[in-house]
Amino acid sequence: MDAREFTEHWVTAWNAHDLDALLAHFTEDVVFTSPVAAQLTGSAVIRGKDALRAYWSEGLRRIPDLRFEVIGVYSGVDTLVINYRNQKGGLVNEVLRFEGALVREGHGTYLGDDDNPAGATA
C-alpha cells in the first residue's frame, strides 16, 4: 500500500461523496469506531461493510457540505493515520489498519470535546 496514493484516493472519494469508491478499500468484515457513529447510529462500533455504508450514507445526508483537507499522513506497520481538517474546521485523525491492501479496522478520532465534531444536523 502506498500511503500517499491511498490518501489521495480516500480524500478525493470523500470530497466527491463517492461511497462506492471509498468502500472499495475496505474488507467485508471491517470494524470501524467513531464518536460520530455513536451520534448518528446509536453505536460507536460499526461492523461490516454494509453497516459502514449505511452509517456513512446517513452522515452524508446529515452533513451535506462535508469536505476534508488532508494535513498529514503517517505510516506504520500495516497502519495509516490520515490527519485532516473537516468542513467545520475541526482536526481529525483517521486511524486505519490494513489486512493486505484493504482496510480491516478504522477509527475516527477528533481533537477536543465538541459534542458535534462533524457538524451533523438533525
Side-chain angles (χ1 to χ4, degrees), residues 11-122:
V11 74
T12 299
W14 269 120
N15 288 342
H17 299 184
D18 185 346
L19 291 184
D20 289 331
L22 190 60
L23 287 164
H25 294 287
F26 290 79
T27 63
E28 289 297 323
D29 60 347
V30 63
V31 175
F32 193 87
T33 68
S34 170
V36 176
Q39 178 188 4
L40 298 183
T41 72
S43 176
V45 181
I46 305 296
R47 295 183 189 282
K49 192 185 270 191
D50 290 341
L52 190 58
R53 176 185 294 279
Y55 158 50
W56 284 345
S57 293
E58 178 64 10
L60 288 173
R61 185 185 75 75
R62 292 179 55 184
I63 311 167
D65 62 339
L66 182 135
R67 181 154 184 79
F68 299 156
E69 173 196 353
V70 174
I71 306 297
V73 178
Y74 308 89
S75 298
V77 177
D78 297 326
T79 304
L80 181 65
V81 177
I82 303 171
N83 177 240
Y84 65 94
R85 188 173 304 281
N86 65 18
Q87 78 290 339
K88 191 176 172 183
L91 288 173
V92 184
N93 281 322
E94 194 96 348
V95 181
L96 305 172
R97 198 169 66 78
F98 287 77
E99 184 174 276
L102 298 177
V103 177
R104 172 103 162 84
E105 186 179 308
H107 307 278
T109 63
Y110 296 80
L111 181 64
D113 57 2
D114 187 341
D115 288 341
N116 188 7
T121 60

